[in-house]
Amino acid sequence: QEVAEKLGITVSEHNLRTSGIPVKSGLCTLRGKSLFIIDKHKSIHEKNEMLASCLSKMKHEDIYIVPAVREYLYKYSSEL
């Protein structure tokens, strides 16, 4: 989540089951701001994978990221 915030993306968890329409976790723009919405019912592993997959596609080379996290993001960028 820290990496997302450094990139100007707000990460928010919500109960997507109560929306009444089929909704998936992911990145969206709301009122000109980037927002990554995650279904709070997903496991920690699934949440990390979704967020890493999204962030790996963004320009993050210019910000400091802990080496282990950078490696985790790289894992998802190489799966493209």
Side-chain angles (χ1 to χ4, degrees):
Q1 286 186 353
E2 278 184 40
V3 175
E5 290 172 7
K6 288 178 182 181
L7 293 171
I9 301 168
T10 301
V11 178
S12 180
E13 289 189 41
H14 294 279
N15 182 358
L16 299 181
R17 296 178 184 175
T18 62
S19 67
I21 56 173
V23 180
K24 292 184 178 183
S25 299
L27 183 67
C28 65
T29 302
L30 182 63
R31 297 184 182 135
K33 296 186 180 190
S34 296
L35 178 64
F36 192 87
I37 299 172
I38 299 177
D39 184 346
K40 75 176 193 173
H41 296 288
K42 298 286 185 186
S43 70
I44 294 293
H45 180 72
E46 290 173 305
K47 291 174 187 178
N48 286 340
E49 283 184 336
M50 287 186 283
L51 191 54
S53 179
C54 173
L55 295 176
S56 70
K57 297 173 184 128
M58 300 184 164
K59 185 169 173 49
H60 59 271
E61 293 79 16
D62 296 339
I63 61 171
Y64 175 76
I65 301 174
V66 175
V69 174
R70 188 173 296 279
E71 186 175 316
Y72 190 73
L73 291 179
Y74 180 74
K75 171 185 166 188
Y76 286 92
S77 67
S78 62
E79 291 180 3
L80 299 175

